[in-house]
C-alpha cells in the first residue's frame, strides 16, 4: 500500500448513508498511529527506493465521536520528480470480512509471504511487484487486519454494501488529499467481494473518478434457472481435465475450457430452456456430452435434469477415491465426509480443521462460530518489519463480519460501473478470472460484464490457469503482475 502520513481529522469528510451511520467529522481525534520505514527493492529489473507507511485513520459517528480505526499499508516510490504523473492504486480483498493480505502479501506487495504459510512464515522480495510503475495502497476495512471498531461502538453500519463502500471511498479520498495526489492517475483493484465493493464505490463516487478499475475473481450473482449452471460448466470441465476424469486428447486446460464454453452457450443452454419439453433422446445426448466434458456419470447428470450444482460436482467427481474437490480451487482435494456444507468446509479455504481418523461426523461450523481467523505471520511483518506500533492480532478473515453482512436488496452495482464506463470512454476495466475457481466461475464473470454492457473496447480480459486467487503459483504470479503493470502503464501514457 502506498505510504501515508498521519491522518488529519477533518480532511475530506466521509458522508455515509444515514444520519446514524459512521462518518468522518471535523472534530478532534486521538493521535493516529503511524509508522514510516525506508526500503530498497528490485522489481522488474529496476532498483527502487521506496517508503512504506502504515497509518491509522479514524472514522467518526454523526456526533463527531471516534467510532472506528482503519489501517492502511502504503508503498510509494521515492525520488519521483512529478508525483502528479505517478499512478497510485488502491487495493483490497473481499469476504466480506477479508483483509487485504492476499493481494498484499501473495500478489502485488514488494514482499511476499513464504510458501509454507505457517504462523512463523517469513517473507521474501517480490521481483514482479509493479511498485516500480505504480504506488500501492492496501486497505483493511473495519473488522479486518488491524482495523477495529472502537470499544462500545456498534460496527454494523460498516458491515453493509453501502456503508462499506462509502467507508473505503472516504479513506481513498482522504489519502489523495493528505498526500497532494489528487492529480495523479488513480486505480482501484478489488478481489472477490472486493469487486462488488469497487463497483459500489464507482456507483457512489461521481466525485471520486478513477482512470481504471481492476476486478480479480469477480463475484457475480448470476440469476435465473439456466445461467447459474451454464456459467459454471466450463470451470467444471477445467477441474475434470486437471484430475484426468475426462480424456484430454492432447488438449490444454484452456482448450477444454473454451470447448465447454462453446457447448454451454449453445446446445446446453438450449436444452435447459426446453425443460420438461426436452425429448428424452436429446436429454440423453446432452448428458453424454456433458459427461465427456465434466467427468460425471451420465446417469447422475440425467437425474439432475442436466442441472449440475456445485456441490453435486465437488462431491461426485472424485467419489471413487473418497475425495471431494475444493470450491475456491477445484484442483485441491479433501476427504469426502458425511454432512459437508461445500463452502465453509472447502479444503481450499482451510478454516475447518480436519477430522481425526475415526471421529464421528459433525456438522460444519457456522461463520459466527469460526469468528475472526488470525494471520500472525502477516501481523508480524507489519508490526516487525514495517514497525507499526500495535499489540493487536492481525485478522486475516473475520467470519463474524461475514455473518453480520447486510447485502441490501439492491440493483446490480456492476450495471453502475458499466454505465460510468459508457459515460466516460477513458475509464478502463481490467478483469482476471481463474479456470479452476468454482466460487466465482470465470464465465459467470464474463457473462455478467457482457450483460451489464461494459464496452468491449474499454475491457482488458485475462484468464489464468489458476484458482480464486489467480496469481497462485510462480508462473501465474509473474503473468498477473505483468498484466496489472501493463494496464496501469497503458492508461498513464494516454
Amino acid at each position: 500500500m502506498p505510504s501515508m502520513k498521519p491522518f488529519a481529522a477533518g480532511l475530506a469528510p466521509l458522508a455515509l448513508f444515514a444520519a446514524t451511520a459512521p462518518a468522518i467529522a471535523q472534530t478532534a481525534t486521538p493521535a493516529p498511529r503511524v509508522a514510516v520505514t525506508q526500503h530498497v527493492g528490485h522489481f522488474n529489473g529496476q532498483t527502487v527506493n521506496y517508503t512504506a507507511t502504515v497509518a491509522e485513520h479514524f472514522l467518526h459517528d454523526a456526533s463527531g465521536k471516534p467510532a472506528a480505526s482503519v489501517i492502511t499499508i502504503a508503498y510509494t516510490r521515492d525520488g519521483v520528480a512529478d508525483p502528479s504523473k505517478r499512478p497510485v492504486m488502491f487495493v483490497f480483498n473481499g469476504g466480506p470480512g477479508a483483509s487485504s493480505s492476499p493481494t498484499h502479501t501473495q500478489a502485488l506487495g514488494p514482499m511476499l509471504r513464504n510458501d509454507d504459510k505457517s504462523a512463523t512464515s517469513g517473507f521474501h522480495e517480490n521481483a514482479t511487484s509493479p511498485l516500480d510503475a505504480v504506488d500501492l495502497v492496501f486497505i483493511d476495512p473495519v473488522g479486518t487486519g488491524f482495523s477495529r471498531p472502537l470499544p462500545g461502538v456498534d460496527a454494523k453500519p460498516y458491515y453493509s454494501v453501502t456503508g462499506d463502500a462509502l467507508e473505503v471511498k472516504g479513506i481513498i479520498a482522504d489519502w489523495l488529499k493528505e498526500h497532494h495526489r489528487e492529480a495523479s492517475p488513480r486505480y482501484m483493484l478489488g478481489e472477490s467481494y472486493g469487486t462488488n465493493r469497487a463497483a459500489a464505490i464507482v456507483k457512489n463516487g461521481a466525485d471520486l473518478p478513477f482512470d481504471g478499475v481492476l476486478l480479480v475473481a469477480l463475484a457475480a450473482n448470476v440469476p435465473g434457472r439456466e445461467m447459474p449452471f451454464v456459467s459454471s460448466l466450463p470451470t467444471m470441465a477445467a477441474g475434470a481435465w486437471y484430475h484426468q476424469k475426462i480424456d484430454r486428447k492432447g488438449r490444454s486446460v484452456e482448450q477444454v475450457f473454451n470447448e465447454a464454453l462453446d457447448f454451454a452457450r449453445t446446445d446446453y443452454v438450449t436444452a435447459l430452456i426446453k425443460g420438461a419439453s426436452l425429448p428424452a433422446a436429446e436429454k440423453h445426448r446432452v448428458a453424454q456430452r456433458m459427461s465427456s466434458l465434466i467427468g460425471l456419470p451420465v446417469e447422475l447428470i440425467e437425474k439432475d435434469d442436466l442441472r449440475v450444482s456445485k456441490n453435486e460436482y465437488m462431491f461426485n467427481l472424485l467419489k471413487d477415491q473418497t475425495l471431494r474437490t475444493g470450491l475456491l480451487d477445484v484442483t485441491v482435494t479433501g476427504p469426502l465426509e458425511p454432512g459437508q456444507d461445500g463452502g465453509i468446509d472447502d479444503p481450499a479455504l482451510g478454516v475447518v480443521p480436519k477430522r481425526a481418523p475415526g471421529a464421528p461426523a459433525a456438522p460444519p461450523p457456522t461463520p459466527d462460530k469460526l469468528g475472526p481467523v488470525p494471520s500472525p505471520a502477516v501481523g508480524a511483518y507489519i508490526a516487525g518489519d514495517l514497525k507499526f506500533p500495535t499489540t493487536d492480532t492481525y485478522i486475516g478473515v473475520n467470519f463474524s463480519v461475514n455473518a453480520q453482512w447486510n447485502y441490501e436488496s439492491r440493483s446490480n452495482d456492476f450495471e453502475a460501473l458499466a454505465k460510468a464506463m459508457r459515460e466516460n470512454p477513458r475509464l478502463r476495466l481490467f478483469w482476471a478470472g481463474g479456470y479452476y475457481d468454482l466460487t466465482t466461475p470465470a464465465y459467470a464473470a464474463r457473462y455478467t460484464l457482457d450483460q451489464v454492457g461494459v464496452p468491449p473496447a474499454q475491457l482488458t480480459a485475462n484468464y489464468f490457469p489458476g484458482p480464486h486467487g489467480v496469481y497462485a503459483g510462480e508462473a501465474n504470479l509473474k503473468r498477473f503482475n505483468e498484466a496489472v503493470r501493463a494496464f496501469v502503464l497503458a492508461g498513464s501514457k494516454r
Side-chain angles (χ1 to χ4, degrees):
M1 305 177 183
S3 64
M4 295 215 41
K5 299 176 183 176
F7 177 75
L11 292 182
L14 175 60
L16 279 181
F17 52 95
T20 58
I24 296 176
Q26 296 189 11
T27 59
T29 60
R33 293 170 291 173
V34 62
V36 180
T37 51
Q38 305 300 322
H39 305 266
V40 179
H42 306 87
F43 315 118
N44 302 294
Q46 295 186 42
T47 298
V48 177
N49 294 297
Y50 65 95
T51 298
T53 307
V54 187
E56 181 174 38
H57 312 256
F58 287 108
L59 307 181
H60 296 71
D61 64 19
S63 69
K65 181 180 177 181
S69 164
V70 174
I71 308 301
T72 60
I73 307 100
Y75 301 99
T76 51
R77 184 168 186 167
D78 299 335
V80 175
D82 186 357
S84 70
K85 291 184 171 59
R86 169 81 173 170
V88 56
M89 184 160 64
F90 298 89
V91 185
F92 38 78
N93 279 78
S99 70
S100 65
S101 58
T103 47
H104 178 193
T105 67
Q106 297 173 41
L108 296 163
M111 300 296 291
L112 295 179
R113 186 176 174 183
N114 292 339
D115 288 339
D116 62 22
K117 300 295 186 291
S118 66
T120 58
S121 173
F123 283 70
H124 64 277
E125 188 170 87
N126 180 7
T128 65
S129 171
L131 183 57
D132 64 299
V134 56
D135 291 337
L136 302 168
V137 181
F138 297 91
I139 302 172
D140 288 338
V142 174
T144 75
F146 289 133
S147 301
R148 301 283 191 274
L150 297 185
V153 172
D154 180 6
K156 284 186 180 179
Y158 297 113
Y159 301 159
S160 69
V161 173
T162 304
D164 168 77
L166 291 175
E167 168 203 338
V168 175
K169 175 199 166 190
I171 295 298
I172 293 172
D174 286 332
W175 193 94
L176 291 167
K177 186 170 183 178
E178 174 72 7
H179 293 272
H180 309 290
R181 297 290 295 275
E182 294 99 323
S184 295
R186 66 186 71 153
Y187 296 83
M188 173 171 51
L189 184 150
E191 178 177 309
S192 195
Y193 178 79
T195 62
N196 302 85
R197 177 184 293 129
I201 288 173
V202 171
K203 179 176 182 177
N204 292 280
D207 57 333
L208 186 67
F210 288 87
D211 295 271
V213 176
L214 298 90
L215 307 177
V216 180
L218 185 149
N221 181 21
V222 178
R225 284 186 49 78
E226 294 81 31
M227 290 314 299
F229 303 98
V230 171
S231 61
S232 296
L233 190 88
T235 299
M236 294 178 180
W241 177 93
Y242 178 86
H243 292 290
Q244 300 190 55
K245 301 301 285 187
I246 59 172
D247 185 352
R248 291 184 176 182
K249 298 178 181 177
R251 297 167 297 174
S252 67
V253 65
E254 179 181 8
Q255 289 171 322
V256 168
F257 182 94
N258 287 332
E259 189 176 322
L261 177 57
D262 288 340
F263 168 75
R265 296 198 294 193
T266 52
D267 292 358
Y268 183 44
V269 72
T270 299
L272 293 183
I273 289 170
K274 288 182 179 179
S277 67
L278 182 70
E282 187 175 350
K283 178 179 179 180
H284 185 68
R285 179 185 65 80
V286 171
Q288 287 180 313
R289 179 64 175 135
M290 289 176 66
S291 178
S292 73
L293 287 167
I294 67 174
L296 296 186
V298 172
E299 298 76 14
L300 178 63
I301 295 171
E302 287 187 300
K303 177 185 73 68
D304 289 334
D305 287 327
L306 309 180
R307 289 173 165 83
V308 179
S309 70
K310 293 179 180 180
N311 274 11
E312 196 80 67
Y313 174 82
M314 290 189 293
F315 297 157
N316 283 280
L317 183 69
L318 303 174
K319 188 176 182 179
D320 59 337
Q321 303 171 48
T322 63
L323 296 174
R324 58 157 292 182
T325 76
L327 185 64
L328 291 163
D329 183 351
V330 294
T331 72
V332 174
T333 63
L336 180 63
E337 298 171 340
Q340 289 182 316
D341 171 87
I344 198 73
D345 46 23
D346 178 3
L349 183 60
V351 296
V352 176
K354 292 182 180 179
R355 198 171 72 195
T366 62
D368 251 343
K369 186 173 181 180
L370 281 173
V373 178
S375 183
V378 177
Y381 164 70
I382 295 172
D385 294 34
L386 302 187
K387 311 300 182 186
F388 184 63
T390 184
T391 57
D392 290 342
T393 297
Y394 188 91
I395 299 173
V397 59
N398 192 335
F399 286 95
S400 295
V401 170
N402 187 277
Q404 297 178 63
W405 201 261
N406 178 5
Y407 287 92
E408 305 173 5
S409 297
R410 55 187 296 132
S411 60
N412 184 346
D413 287 341
F414 294 112
E415 293 178 345
L417 174 58
K419 180 174 182 289
M421 294 177 68
R422 293 193 297 271
E423 293 173 350
N424 176 14
R426 293 183 61 83
L427 175 57
R428 299 178 304 123
L429 182 64
F430 172 105
W431 164 71
Y435 290 136
Y436 301 126
D437 176 13
L438 194 56
T439 302
T440 58
Y443 180 53
R446 187 57 196 260
Y447 171 80
T448 296
L449 296 177
D450 288 341
Q451 295 304 309
V452 298
V454 167
Q458 293 164 250
L459 173 65
T460 299
N462 302 269
Y463 293 84
F464 290 82
H468 191 66
V470 301
Y471 39 76
E474 187 175 343
N476 283 335
L477 174 67
K478 184 175 186 293
R479 187 178 150 218
F480 174 75
N481 281 339
E482 286 175 348
V484 169
R485 186 173 182 272
F487 179 80
V488 171
L489 288 176
S492 301
K493 291 174 182 176
R494 295 199 307 166

